[in-house]
Structure formats: C-alpha cells, structure tokens
Amino acid sequence: MLMYPKFDPVAISLGPIKVHWYGLMYLLSFLLVLYVGKWRIRKFGHPVLTEKMVDDFLFYGALGTVLGGRIGYCLFYQPAYYLTHPLDIVKTWDGGMSFHGGIIGVCIGIYLFTRKEKMHFFVLGDFVALIIPLCLMLGRIGNFINGELWGRFCSPNLPWGMVFPQSGSMLPRHPSQLYEALTEGIILFTVILIFRLTKERNLGQTSGVFLIGYGLARFVLEFFRAPDAFATGVVQATGLSLGQLYSFPMILIGIIVFVWGLKSRSTVEH
C-alpha cells in the first residue's frame, strides 16, 4: 500500500503569476501535437498536409479542446449548477474539463480548418488521431499531480493501492489516473500505431479505431475510478457512471466511421 506523494499543484510561481501543473500539461500537449505532427511530415512526407498547416491548425485544435472540454463538462456533468451559476463557467482554475466535450470541440476545429483549406475532414482527423493518446497521457498525469479523479477503494493487499488523504479517507484506492495514462495513452497509441503500420488504410479508419479504442478503454477504466459525488444518483439508477454512458455514443460513432472507412476508396492518410 502506497501513500499519495503530495505534489505542489503550482509548477511555476513568479510573483502573482502561478502556472499550475494541469495547465502546463495542456500546454505540453499542444506543443506535442505541433512537434510530432511537423516531424512526421518532415520525416515521411504527406500528400496533402504541410508543416505550415500544422502550425495553423494548432489554434483551432487548442481552442476546440479548451472550449469544448469546459463547456462539455458544464453541460454533461453539472448542467443544473452552471445554469444557475453561469459566471462559474469561466472558473477553469477550480477544475472541470470533459474529454467527451473536448473531442467534440476538436472535431469542430478540424471541420472549420479542413473546410477553409478545402480538404477532407478525415485527412486531418486521421493524422491527429495517432497523436491524441499521447496528449491524454499527459492530461492524466496532470490529474494525478493535482490529486484529483482518484480511484475506487481497493484491497489493502494490492501492492500499488494508494491512499489519497485529500479524498477524506485513509483507505487505499486504485490510482486510476495512472491506469488511464497507461491505457488511454500508451496502449491506445501503440494499438493505433500498429494498425496504421500494418498496411495502407482508408480515410476514416484510423479515426474510427481511436474513437472505439478510447470509448472501450474509458468504459472499462470507469469501474476503477470513483464516480463524481454529484453523479452518485446516476450510478445508483443505472449501475454505470456518466463517463461510461457518454462512451457508448463515442463507440457507436467510431464503429460507423470505421465501417464507412472500409468502404471508402481514398487512402490519402499518411
């Protein structure tokens, strides 16, 4: 049994300016998309995308991630509270970002950018689908450093069971943030990479694999993650968490996109 190592949530402090680790992980994620995306084009080439396009898309992707993640959290998780406290929507420093909302925001950003550049949505969608799991890994590490989104109670005999004092209990829990960093991040990245390297893929297939893979991973991992206090009624009524319920349509859309990709004749992906 392990004790949660107390981290200072502030990574950098310069007088009144404080940069939190969670915000820093978002910044690193955006830089990762920029660096890895441009490196891939420079190293392997791409029939449509250019390095400048990656630079230009970063604004759309970052804005979609932040706005989608925040608005999605407010609408999907605590709509009644934020409808009565609309000014609290901007208080991102209090926490509250939704991946499902974030991915919707990114998709809107991809749509707007590809429409401007007159290219197919999945040319860019498939390109970033490989990189997103690495960004998710950084985000989950940020959750762990912040000491939030801890797991459900586990057996005291579990070697990596961890006590999170900030949870209000000294009983060991699953370090679910690290489970997610490993599964949604490293494992999902590896699966998509192998899928793309085995043979040439049609447009949409990589995006479909990402949506299905993340949805399945999130559904399973929610069994190890403590549900939000405000969502206990949903868990009691359905036996599932909000994260699991929101993963169902993601998996369904992923299957539809993948099947569409199988029938697509275009292979402009890499």
Side-chain angles (χ1 to χ4, degrees):
M1 190 170 65
L2 306 173
M3 181 66 68
Y4 171 76
K6 181 63 177 177
F7 293 101
D8 185 346
V10 177
I12 303 172
S13 181
L14 299 173
I17 301 176
K18 298 182 184 300
V19 180
H20 289 71
W21 279 106
Y22 192 62
L24 189 60
M25 290 300 174
Y26 267 84
L27 176 60
L28 290 176
S29 296
F30 300 145
L31 293 177
L32 186 68
V33 172
L34 185 65
Y35 176 79
V36 174
K38 294 174 71 172
W39 175 83
R40 286 171 60 193
I41 293 173
R42 188 163 56 249
K43 180 75 173 178
F44 304 104
H46 195 283
V48 177
L49 297 173
T50 65
E51 291 185 51
K52 185 180 182 304
M53 286 181 179
V54 177
D55 285 327
D56 296 340
F57 169 69
L58 186 63
F59 171 77
Y60 291 79
L63 192 63
T65 299
V66 174
L67 291 181
R70 183 57 178 172
I71 295 173
Y73 177 82
C74 297
L75 293 179
F76 298 161
Y77 288 88
Q78 297 193 74
Y81 174 82
Y82 285 104
L83 285 175
T84 55
H85 301 80
L87 295 180
D88 287 353
I89 294 176
V90 300
K91 295 181 179 179
T92 55
W93 53 87
D94 289 338
M97 296 288 282
S98 162
F99 172 78
H100 295 94
I103 198 65
I104 293 174
V106 170
C107 287
I108 293 174
I110 292 174
Y111 170 76
L112 294 175
F113 183 80
T114 53
R115 184 178 181 183
K116 179 176 76 73
E117 296 292 338
K118 296 180 174 57
M119 71 174 72
H120 197 287
F121 176 92
F122 285 118
V123 168
L124 183 56
D126 290 347
F127 186 80
V128 300
L130 177 63
I131 311 174
I132 292 178
L134 300 178
C135 300
L136 290 173
M137 177 189 68
L138 292 175
R140 294 311 184 189
I141 292 174
N143 292 143
F144 181 74
I145 292 175
N146 270 3
E148 60 190 5
L149 305 184
W150 48 76
R152 300 173 190 250
F153 294 118
C154 66
S155 168
N157 297 322
L158 187 69
W160 56 85
M162 186 171 291
V163 175
F164 291 85
Q166 62 271 42
S167 70
S169 172
M170 296 304 290
L171 295 175
R173 297 175 177 269
H174 289 283
S176 56
Q177 312 98 320
L178 301 182
Y179 293 178
E180 290 177 299
L182 175 64
T183 308
E184 300 170 359
I186 297 173
I187 293 178
L188 183 56
F189 168 79
T190 304
V191 169
I192 297 175
L193 181 62
I194 293 173
F195 175 78
R196 292 190 62 157
L197 290 178
T198 50
K199 69 174 184 176
E200 193 173 34
R201 300 296 179 178
N202 292 351
L203 276 177
Q205 285 188 289
T206 302
S207 296
V209 169
F210 167 76
L211 293 171
I212 296 169
Y214 177 84
L216 291 174
R218 180 67 182 268
F219 183 85
V220 172
L221 289 169
E222 285 284 327
F223 287 114
F224 299 95
R225 176 173 160 178
D228 297 306
F230 53 79
T232 53
V234 175
V235 177
Q236 292 173 353
T238 65
L240 300 174
S241 69
L242 286 173
Q244 289 173 315
L245 294 175
Y246 293 143
S247 291
F248 278 126
M250 190 172 185
I251 295 170
L252 178 60
I253 293 172
I255 293 173
I256 293 173
V257 169
F258 185 83
V259 172
W260 175 87
L262 284 176
K263 299 178 181 180
S264 172
R265 295 184 179 180
S266 177
T267 57
V268 179
E269 179 178 326
H270 299 83

